[in-house]
């Protein structure tokens, strides 16, 4: 059955290995199935929920687009576009925001994490951002949304909004409840410095993540310095429990190599840590460095990148505008 796929990535600073293994790698495999209609968005309206420098934001929008393409997304096969160039997303967010309930938003753990202790000082945008995300998805009747584990709750909210809209306005199945596509394993890549914390752009330590723009030497040195424990390498999958750093590094290796965790455990049984780390660094350099190299090449041609976004945004707007108009009709405008 053909699937309508939608997903987005914020253009806030360097994309990292978590974004790649948790999301972008999956975007590329979904594009390979010709039955799927794939739409991938650079969600710059989400990025401004925290303060951005205008010049750097522009650079980051191009860099995220270039990373999409360098990772294997093809603008001839998927719609690749920029959220702020499609005004229907903001309009849809307002309309759906009148359906969503405060109580639902108050449960969002990502807001609590990002706002920190001083919630009063967080932007209103940060609070209502899951509604914009729901608008992104629902305007395209997306059936499947590939994301990392951290977006699961936002997807549940999207489904709640769709169901309430359909019920409130007596229009069964008008808004499609999307299914999250979260990889069974390796959907939450953790910090290289602390295996209990998510790998994130906002971690002040650059050593905590592999950026998609890191060069070979940096990748190797970050893996060498990655935190590990002093026990020997695991003999079986029970040996990996309660060892968050090791579990994370084994997960990264397995995901990069497209192999099950069991095989990784088997491969390194009885070997020492430095041997494993060398192999991990080698695998990362082999997979990530060509993407970073290609991203930099693409960034030399800003016109090419801008044209991808322009073409993609025209296609996206045609779909989204029609859905917003249908929503407005149903509401009674
Ligand atoms: P963002 O920009 O924070 O992250 C983009 C994608 O990367 C995944 N991800 C991770 N996966 C595994 N391990 C990690 N450490 C890790 N860090 C990030 C995220 O789960 C995500 O899939 N709100 C979204 C963007 C968004 C969106 C949408 C996604 C806006 N509208 C509509 C899907 C559909 C976000 O901030 O992702």
């Amino acid at each position: 059955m053909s699937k309508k796929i939608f997903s987005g990535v914020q253009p806030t600073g360097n994309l990292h290995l978590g974004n790649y293994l948790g999301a972008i790698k999956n975007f590329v495999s979904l594009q390979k199935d010709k039955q799927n209609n794939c739409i991938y968005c650079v969600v710059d309206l989400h990025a401004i929920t925290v303060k951005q420098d205008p010049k750097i934001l522009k650079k980051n929008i191009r860099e995220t687009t270039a990373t999409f393409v360098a990772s294997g997304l093809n603008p001839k096969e998927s719609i690749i576009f920029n959220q702020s160039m499609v005004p229907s997303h903001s309009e849809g967010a307002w309309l759906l925001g009148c359906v969503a309930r405060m109580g639902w938003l108050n449960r969002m753990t990502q807001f609590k994490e990002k706002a920190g202790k001083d919630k009063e000082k967080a932007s209103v945008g940060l609070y209502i951002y899951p509604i914009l995300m729901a608008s992104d998805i629902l305007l395209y009747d997306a059936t499947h949304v590939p994301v990392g584990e951290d977006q699961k709750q936002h997807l549940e909210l999207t489904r709640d909004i769709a169901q309430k809209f359909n019920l409130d306005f007596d229009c069964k199945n008008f808004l499609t409840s999307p299914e999250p596509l979260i990889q069974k394993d390796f959907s939450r890549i953790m910090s290289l410095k602390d295996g209990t914390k998510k790998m994130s752009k906002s971690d002040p330590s650059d050593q905590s993540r592999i950026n998609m723009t890191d060069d070979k030497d940096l990748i190797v040195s970050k893996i060498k310095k990655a935190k590990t424990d002093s026990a020997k390498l695991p003999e079986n999958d029970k040996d990996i429990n309660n060892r968050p750093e090791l579990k994370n590094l084994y997960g990264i290796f397995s995901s990069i190599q497209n192999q099950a965790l069991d095989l990784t455990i088997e491969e390194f049984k009885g070997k020492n840590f430095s041997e494993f780390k060398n192999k991990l660094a080698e695998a990362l350099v082999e997979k990530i460095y060509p993407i970073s190299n290609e991203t930099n090449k693409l960034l030399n041609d800003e016109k090419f990148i801008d044209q991808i976004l322009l073409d993609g945004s025209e296609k996206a707007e045609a779909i989204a505008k029609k859905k917003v108009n249908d929503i407005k009709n149903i509401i009674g405008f």
Side-chain angles (χ1 to χ4, degrees):
M1 198 192 76
S2 106
K3 295 186 184 122
K4 284 191 189 163
I5 311 286
F6 185 99
S7 198
V9 176
Q10 291 196 44
T12 38
N14 288 339
L15 296 188
H16 53 74
L17 191 64
N19 299 127
Y20 179 69
L21 296 180
I24 300 173
K25 184 170 165 249
N26 213 3
F27 298 176
V28 178
S29 3
L30 288 161
Q31 176 190 258
K32 284 193 185 129
D33 183 341
K34 298 294 167 229
Q35 291 213 315
N36 293 338
N37 288 311
C38 299
I39 307 182
Y40 298 117
C41 184
V42 179
V43 290
D44 53 353
L45 294 174
H46 277 91
I48 61 162
T49 54
V50 294
K51 197 166 186 313
Q52 300 292 332
D53 175 324
K55 283 204 191 82
I56 297 180
L57 179 61
K58 201 159 262 171
K59 174 180 156 289
N60 285 343
I61 292 168
R62 289 194 178 113
E63 194 170 294
T64 303
T65 312
T67 306
F68 277 3
V69 176
S71 303
L73 292 184
N74 180 346
K76 295 204 175 85
E77 292 171 43
S78 299
I79 298 180
I80 297 174
F81 79 106
N82 190 17
Q83 194 183 28
S84 66
M85 288 166 80
V86 178
S88 298
H89 287 244
S90 318
E91 196 176 3
W94 177 261
L95 300 170
L96 298 171
C98 296
V99 174
R101 303 289 95 179
M102 294 274 288
W104 299 354
L105 284 184
N106 287 340
R107 285 203 289 274
M108 296 296 117
T109 51
Q110 195 170 80
F111 173 75
K112 290 179 195 157
E113 276 164 29
K114 286 198 175 169
K117 284 203 184 85
D118 204 354
K119 290 194 188 44
E120 301 284 312
K121 289 221 171 112
S123 74
V124 175
L126 190 67
Y127 180 66
I128 58 174
Y129 130 147
I131 299 176
L132 178 60
M133 179 161 162
S135 169
D136 298 341
I137 297 166
L138 298 176
L139 293 188
Y140 297 89
D141 296 319
T143 56
H144 294 83
V145 180
V147 281
E149 168 72 30
D150 62 341
Q151 296 298 322
K152 194 171 173 205
Q153 200 185 26
H154 294 157
L155 257 293
E156 280 158 10
L157 182 93
T158 303
R159 293 169 60 88
D160 287 344
I161 293 177
Q163 279 157 21
K164 183 161 163 51
F165 185 94
N166 292 345
L167 204 67
D168 283 359
F169 293 99
D170 198 13
C171 51
K172 203 169 167 213
N173 299 331
F174 167 70
L175 291 180
T176 304
S177 284
E179 295 292 334
L181 286 180
I182 299 174
Q183 300 172 79
K184 196 164 109 328
D185 300 307
F186 330 126
S187 59
R188 192 172 171 85
I189 304 296
M190 310 308 271
S191 156
L192 299 179
K193 292 274 141 202
D194 177 352
T196 62
K197 262 174 56 188
K198 197 181 72 172
M199 184 178 283
S200 145
K201 298 170 199 174
S202 52
D203 193 315
S205 164
D206 193 58
Q207 292 294 325
S208 69
R209 60 185 164 261
I210 305 278
N211 300 305
M212 294 305 287
T213 45
D214 285 348
D215 64 22
K216 292 180 189 171
D217 292 347
L218 204 50
I219 295 177
V220 173
S221 99
K222 282 180 178 177
I223 293 300
K224 275 205 176 127
K225 290 189 199 144
K227 189 175 167 196
T228 44
D229 53 39
S230 52
K232 61 184 181 52
L233 290 179
E235 300 280 317
N236 56 52
D237 57 359
K238 285 190 196 71
D239 278 354
I240 207 168
N241 291 334
N242 303 320
R243 298 176 70 183
E245 284 81 20
L246 176 96
K247 193 172 177 184
N248 186 41
L249 294 181
Y250 265 47
I252 292 174
F253 185 81
S254 309
S255 179
I256 277 283
Q257 300 293 71
N258 289 318
Q259 73 180 23
L261 192 59
D262 287 357
L263 281 178
T264 303
I265 294 175
E266 197 53 39
E267 188 174 338
F268 294 102
K269 200 160 74 177
K271 302 201 167 129
N272 59 34
F273 253 115
S274 61
E275 205 169 329
F276 165 65
K277 279 191 165 183
N278 285 342
K279 282 275 190 274
L280 173 60
E282 230 173 69
L284 283 168
V285 167
E286 199 184 308
K287 292 276 161 55
I288 301 302
Y289 181 66
I291 298 179
S292 113
N293 201 20
E294 181 63 17
T295 302
N296 288 327
K297 265 199 224 151
L298 289 167
L299 284 171
N300 287 329
D301 191 350
E302 287 183 353
K303 275 202 185 129
F304 174 70
I305 298 292
D306 292 350
Q307 195 61 45
I308 292 177
L309 293 177
L310 199 65
D311 293 345
S313 300
E314 271 173 22
K315 289 182 202 153
E317 177 67 359
I319 304 169
K321 195 169 184 169
K322 178 170 180 319
K323 195 73 181 180
V324 163
N325 284 339
D326 290 347
I327 293 177
K328 285 166 84 176
N329 269 332
I330 290 174
I331 288 177
F333 290 129

